[in-house]
Amino acid sequence: MDIFTTIQEGRAQFSPSEQRIADILLGDFEFAVNASIIELAERANVSPPTVTRFCRNVGCQSFSDFKVNLAKTAFIGVRYLNPEAKSTEPADVAEDVITKAQNALFMMHRALDPVLLDKVADRMSRAEMVYSFGSGGNSSMIASEMQNRLFRLGSRVTASNDHNMQLMLTAAARTDDVIFGSSFSGRNHDLARCFTLARENGITTIALTQSGSPVAQAAELVVGIDLPEGVNIFRPTSTRFAFLAVVDVIASLVAYRNRKLSTVTLRHIKQQLVEHRDGDDRQILGD
Amino acid sequence: MDIFTTIQEGRAQFSPSEQRIADILLGDFEFAVNASIIELAERANVSPPTVTRFCRNVGCQSFSDFKVNLAKTAFIGVRYLNPEAKSTEPADVAEDVITKAQNALFMMHRALDPVLLDKVADRMSRAEMVYSFGSGGNSSMIASEMQNRLFRLGSRVTASNDHNMQLMLTAAARTDDVIFGSSFSGRNHDLARCFTLARENGITTIALTQSGSPVAQAAELVVGIDLPEGVNIFRPTSTRFAFLAVVDVIASLVAYRNRKLSTVTLRHIKQQLVEHRDGDDRQILGD
DNA sequence: GCCCTCGTGCAAATTATTTTCGTCGATGAT
DNA sequence: ATCATCGACGAAAATAATTTGCACGAGGGC
């Protein structure tokens, strides 16, 4: 766990002096990370020893150890507290997009549950057939990425962004199949209907969506992604990066579980590409 | 520029003592970031003043300022030097995937040229019609993401992952149109052919691909993405995150350029979704 | 009311960092 | 060959920052 979160979450248990220190850290990161213990102490109206003790409290060995830890999270942390891009100049916009993407990954990672992932990967890797559903642009991208990742590993998989097809595919699915569905809003009721139907038929359902949303409620296993949406309507949602990363994690886990099949299948694909394309076998699988 | 890169690139100009310091920093980040000036000096077989002077040399005010700067890049930097995931346990795999994604974003950002982006956005925002091409799974995702981002802004745009269609569309395109194409390997010769044809007809071509590759050579404007591919064949390529981010940057810039049209179009879309879906207007545009 | 605990600051001790100053060796001019 | 100059570097002094030990006072339990 990063120190920034530790402070945020532990704030309530701190003594009054320590809370004042915490508030400065949370409020003015840039100052805190550059200040000496004396400056920080003065600003918080406490004595330097209190700052040292605070550092020990949050699990650091010393003030300098604390500052290093603070600075480490700063790369992500500072900016995720900061609001929007400074201007619409390319350099600022690029920094904004990239920082927000990194934040989305960072925050998703923080909330990710490995035990759940283990279960998801287990079901997926043992599925006879995987159906990957998602609509509306963002989730259709995720659904087809899931297909694109899994077929290389030897999984039988299809993706669909068509509500009617999804319903028909669900109705045609069998017990050992798995239905995976993505929904950014969690309000894709057609997808929820597929999940409900599938569960009635004893088919494993896995949702990648907002926790507690209708879609989440309908699915058996839910990988919850709950990130704040920025206020800038012109910037594409950075949450896509988090969704995409979850797809990659799941796909990697499935690969390790079906390592033999994955290896053989990947080799076959590579062979075809190299022979058929240009003999350069260092290029990635699929342009 | 981050300090880590500064040291890497400036290494040749350092004096012998300073080079020894640099080598320790580059080689054992974890030690460097936790060490005191004395420990660092001892390990490099130099005196503390030399370390202080080194810090000044690389643009820091003091040793502690230097350490903070070092630590800031460590969040990304340390790990991007480190190799593969420790195990195939979900927690490790997740960390690996997410870190690699963040690195891809970080490194892409470092190499990104704002002036070029400006040109790209300018052409795209003034295009009568945008054709977005890409094939092979990864690039088809990028191509359709470009469409998904642009249509919301009022741009006329279509995406295709079909080589034959791409060629026909290119042949049918007119002077004020723009052809955008993505290729991870840069070896998509069909795409390169489209670019060549388009240029013969005076149509703007924009490639998102490896610098110097056949596709890059065929296009007029090239956003080069040159990231090392990992050795782990089981992990999906993290370069996708970099490509996706570039799409977002370009889309944002186009949005700002056509701000009025973008705003109106986005509002129209939102209205339809809210009325048609569930009245919650805080959800993102397109599930 | 007494005693214990906890949070806190003060002052001293310790430790770390920076500055000053002088040496050394390389380079180049005479 | 000799000497002046310059930059790199370290020893030691000076300074600054950090930690430790101790004492005091508030609040709570007995």
Side-chain angles (χ1 to χ4, degrees):
Chain A
M1 183 59 64
D2 67 295
I3 198 158
F4 192 80
T5 314
T6 310
I7 296 170
Q8 257 179 337
E9 288 177 359
R11 195 184 167 286
Q13 296 151 24
F14 293 151
S15 69
S17 298
E18 290 184 330
Q19 284 196 4
R20 263 180 314 200
I21 298 171
D23 289 344
I24 287 171
L25 298 176
L26 299 175
D28 193 349
F29 218 103
E30 205 52 46
F31 165 80
V33 105
N34 291 310
S36 76
I37 196 171
I38 295 172
E39 292 169 314
L40 185 58
E42 265 179 16
R43 177 120 172 228
N45 268 313
V46 301
S47 64
T50 303
V51 176
T52 296
R53 286 186 280 253
F54 175 83
C55 299
R56 300 259 157 87
N57 257 358
V58 295
C60 297
Q61 285 205 303
S62 64
F63 178 70
S64 50
D65 183 33
F66 172 79
K67 269 223 306 208
V68 165
N69 273 300
L70 205 60
K72 276 186 187 173
T73 68
F75 182 85
I76 294 296
V78 162
R79 302 185 190 174
Y80 111 71
L81 297 168
N82 284 352
E84 292 303 317
K86 293 143 228 149
S87 79
T88 59
E89 288 305 304
D92 287 336
V93 171
E95 181 173 326
D96 186 48
V97 164
I98 288 152
T99 308
K100 295 285 197 305
Q102 286 178 322
N103 283 339
L105 290 165
F106 180 75
M107 293 172 74
M108 175 276 281
H109 187 196
R110 217 160 66 175
L112 206 60
D113 175 7
V115 177
L116 174 70
L117 284 177
D118 208 45
K119 250 189 250 174
V120 167
D122 181 58
R123 301 287 187 92
M124 280 232 175
S125 62
R126 290 191 292 120
E128 285 292 324
M129 173 79 189
V130 175
Y131 296 94
S132 177
F133 296 161
S135 308
N138 296 315
S139 279
S140 30
M141 184 265 276
I142 296 299
S144 67
E145 274 298 294
M146 185 56 97
Q147 176 184 28
N148 191 18
R149 263 44 259 181
L150 289 185
F151 87 86
R152 298 151 189 260
L153 310 175
S155 294
R156 286 185 285 265
V157 55
T158 188
S160 173
N161 57 14
D162 172 336
H163 288 146
N164 281 305
M165 271 304 284
Q166 289 170 5
L167 205 59
M168 291 196 290
L169 288 167
T170 304
R174 293 197 292 259
T175 319
D176 292 331
D177 297 346
V178 164
I179 296 185
F180 166 85
S182 159
S183 174
F184 279 66
S185 69
R187 317 301 177 93
N188 181 342
H189 295 285
D190 295 294
L191 178 59
R193 193 166 312 133
C194 288
F195 281 156
T196 306
L197 174 60
R199 290 182 77 176
E200 284 169 11
N201 297 333
I203 296 166
T204 300
T205 51
I206 301 170
L208 180 53
T209 190
Q210 283 183 27
S211 308
S213 65
V215 169
Q217 281 166 6
E220 183 190 343
L221 298 175
V222 179
V223 182
I225 306 280
D226 307 291
L227 303 180
E229 272 303 319
V231 292
N232 184 343
I233 57 168
F234 297 119
R235 187 185 56 243
T237 176
S238 55
T239 308
R240 278 146 65 238
F241 292 87
F243 273 65
L244 190 57
V246 173
V247 169
D248 284 9
V249 174
I250 294 174
S252 299
L253 290 172
V254 170
Y256 294 130
R257 258 148 229 270
N258 297 341
R259 189 183 278 263
K260 218 166 156 184
L261 177 61
S262 299
T263 310
V264 171
T265 312
L266 286 165
R267 194 187 307 131
H268 272 185
I269 298 172
K270 182 133 239 169
Q271 227 164 31
Q272 285 310 307
L273 281 184
V274 170
E275 280 173 20
H276 193 247
R277 195 171 56 184
D278 61 357
D280 183 348
D281 75 341
R282 286 160 320 177
Q283 298 300 325
I284 68 170
L285 234 59
D287 191 54
Chain B
M1 183 58 65
D2 67 295
I3 197 157
F4 193 79
T5 313
T6 310
I7 296 171
Q8 256 179 337
E9 289 177 358
R11 195 184 167 285
Q13 296 151 24
F14 293 151
S15 70
S17 299
E18 290 184 330
Q19 285 196 4
R20 271 190 315 249
I21 298 172
D23 289 344
I24 287 171
L25 297 176
L26 299 175
D28 193 349
F29 218 105
E30 205 52 46
F31 165 79
V33 106
N34 291 310
S36 75
I37 195 170
I38 296 171
E39 292 170 315
L40 185 58
E42 267 179 13
R43 177 117 172 232
N45 267 313
V46 300
S47 64
T50 303
V51 176
T52 297
R53 284 186 281 252
F54 174 83
C55 298
R56 301 260 159 86
N57 257 357
V58 295
C60 298
Q61 286 205 303
S62 65
F63 177 69
S64 49
D65 183 33
F66 172 78
K67 271 226 301 209
V68 165
N69 273 300
L70 204 61
K72 276 186 186 172
T73 67
F75 182 86
I76 296 295
V78 161
R79 301 185 190 173
Y80 113 70
L81 298 168
N82 285 352
E84 292 303 317
K86 293 144 228 148
S87 78
T88 58
E89 288 304 305
D92 287 336
V93 171
E95 181 173 328
D96 186 49
V97 165
I98 287 152
T99 309
K100 295 285 196 307
Q102 286 179 322
N103 283 338
L105 290 166
F106 179 75
M107 292 172 74
M108 176 275 282
H109 187 194
R110 218 160 65 175
L112 206 59
D113 174 7
V115 176
L116 175 68
L117 285 177
D118 208 45
K119 252 189 249 173
V120 168
D122 181 58
R123 302 286 187 93
M124 280 231 174
S125 62
R126 290 190 292 120
E128 285 293 323
M129 173 80 190
V130 175
Y131 296 94
S132 177
F133 297 161
S135 307
N138 296 316
S139 278
S140 30
M141 184 265 276
I142 295 300
S144 67
E145 274 297 294
M146 185 57 95
Q147 176 184 30
N148 190 19
R149 263 42 262 180
L150 289 186
F151 87 87
R152 299 151 188 259
L153 309 176
S155 295
R156 288 185 284 265
V157 54
T158 188
S160 172
N161 56 16
D162 172 336
H163 288 146
N164 281 302
M165 270 306 283
Q166 289 170 4
L167 205 59
M168 291 196 291
L169 289 167
T170 304
R174 292 198 292 260
T175 318
D176 292 332
D177 297 345
V178 165
I179 296 186
F180 167 86
S182 159
S183 173
F184 280 65
S185 69
R187 317 299 177 95
N188 182 341
H189 295 285
D190 295 295
L191 178 59
R193 194 165 312 134
C194 287
F195 281 154
T196 305
L197 174 60
R199 290 183 78 176
E200 284 168 11
N201 298 332
I203 295 165
T204 300
T205 51
I206 301 170
L208 180 53
T209 190
Q210 284 183 27
S211 309
S213 65
V215 169
Q217 281 167 6
E220 183 189 344
L221 297 175
V222 179
V223 182
I225 306 279
D226 307 290
L227 303 180
E229 272 303 319
V231 292
N232 185 342
I233 58 168
F234 296 119
R235 187 186 56 243
T237 175
S238 55
T239 307
R240 279 145 66 237
F241 292 87
F243 273 65
L244 191 56
V246 172
V247 169
D248 284 10
V249 173
I250 294 174
S252 299
L253 290 173
V254 170
Y256 294 130
R257 260 148 227 271
N258 298 341
R259 189 183 278 262
K260 219 166 156 185
L261 176 62
S262 299
T263 310
V264 171
T265 313
L266 285 164
R267 194 187 307 133
H268 272 184
I269 298 172
K270 182 134 240 170
Q271 227 165 31
Q272 286 309 307
L273 281 183
V274 170
E275 279 175 21
H276 192 248
R277 196 171 57 184
D278 62 356
D280 183 347
D281 74 341
R282 286 161 319 179
Q283 297 299 327
I284 69 169
L285 234 60
D287 192 54

